[in-house]
Amino acid sequence: LNITPVPKWALITVAVAGAILLLLFLICIVKCCCSKKKPKKKERISLCAVSNSSTTNLVQPEMEDLEWEVEQKRRGKLQYSLEYNFRIQELKVGVKQAVELKAMDSGGTSDPYVIVYLTSDMRKRYETKVYRKTLNPIFNESFTFQVPQAEVSESTLVMQVYDFNRFAKHDIIGEVRLPLASVNLQHVIEQWSDLAVASKVEEEHLGEICFSLRYVPSTGKLTVLILEAKQLKRMDSNGLSDPFVKVHLILNRKKWKKKRTSVKKNTINPYFNEVFVFEVPFSQIQNVDVVISVWDHDKVTKNEPIGKLFLGCRATGNQLRHWSDMLSNPRRPLAQWHILQPPDVVDKALGLKSHLKLPLHSR
């Protein structure tokens, strides 16, 4: 300091000023650090207010899950009744009505009908009539099952609501499964149940068949065109079948006329496209049943039936609808797919009399 020509007071001033600048610099650093932390704290507090997609995914459930839950609630409700007669061991099931059914068609409606069966004997199943373009059908149909009292607790009543489709597979809207063991059958029961998703436990599938019907009243000609079948039951050891189709005409519950298609080898999806013409006077059309049966051909053993169905005024469900549509549209061919049913169930429903031939000749 003695050598430096600068006055002592100036040096002291410079030192003080440097100290002040250093202090200000340190204060700025501290403020910067604090200001960086504060937004993070605010962000944590206001996270729910942020509306971007990434944040929403963190705080909200998946929209697909919500849509799935809503979808389950939109299948509708079914009203039904149950009455068990202990004396004759008979269960009477009444299918009353349905409301707010799920719309299955593009027009916002459905063509519903109900299939009713018991798990203890799935071969016996009933169908209600089909109701066109409605989500609130009134069925008011009843069906009777012979159920021994000992088997009641082991049976489950299944009522499945389907959407009818003439040219494609019928879509299931929903079902009600009611274990009879959980029901007090000492009294008549009438109640509503929500339709649930159909169970994946399916009964034996025999296959489906598509054919066309045409009737001309003026000439009395009934034309049956067997088109094709699909997903037939596998009858042979190689996992296939050799199917052919029989067409029987029943008049007044007696066998009358019959014809058959050719045999299609090694297939469960045969294509026939074979036409048969029967002469049925208009005066007899109300008394005729048309039985369509699919068989598996076997050269060594007896031919085995795969499945059957019948149409006519005594039929029910889709078969009755197809027959009614044919009569309502004379001279117009109407094609439709049908689900094959167990042969013994169809035979019992037909209730054929003795096989006496009538003095009428097939052509």
Side-chain angles (χ1 to χ4, degrees), residues 28-62:
C28 290
I29 292 176
V30 172
K31 285 186 176 181
C32 288
C33 293
C34 292
S35 63
K36 288 181 178 179
K37 292 181 179 180
K38 285 181 180 178
K40 291 184 177 180
K41 186 175 181 181
K42 290 181 180 179
E43 185 179 354
R44 287 197 298 269
I45 294 173
S46 60
L47 182 62
C48 294
V50 181
S51 60
N52 61 61
S53 60
S54 60
T55 307
T56 303
N57 290 335
L58 293 175
V59 299
Q60 293 184 356
E62 292 289 341

Side-chain angles (χ1 to χ4, degrees), residues 15 17 22-23 30 63 66 84 89 98 110 123 128 146 152 179 207 219 231 248 276 293 307 325 342 359:
L22 180 61
L23 181 62
V30 172
M63 292 304 296
L66 294 178
Y84 186 73
Q89 302 186 66
S110 294
R123 298 175 301 173
T128 68
Q146 295 296 326
V152 170
T219 61
Q231 299 176 359
H248 281 86
F276 306 109
S293 57
D325 288 347

Side-chain angles (χ1 to χ4, degrees), residues 80-87 89-94 118 145-157 178-191:
Y80 55 92
S81 65
L82 294 177
E83 182 179 0
Y84 186 73
N85 189 317
F86 287 87
R87 182 176 60 83
Q89 302 186 66
E90 184 177 270
L91 177 67
K92 185 177 181 180
V93 180
L118 294 173
F145 298 89
Q146 295 296 326
V147 187
Q149 190 173 344
E151 297 180 8
V152 170
S153 60
E154 301 175 359
S155 299
T156 296
L157 174 65
L178 185 66
L180 297 183
S182 64
V183 180
N184 182 7
L185 293 176
Q186 298 289 341
H187 308 283
V188 179
I189 297 171
E190 184 170 313
Q191 61 188 22

Side-chain angles (χ1 to χ4, degrees), residues 1-12 14:
L1 292 175
N2 295 329
I3 299 175
T4 305
V6 181
K8 185 181 293 185
W9 60 269
L11 292 174
I12 294 173
V14 171

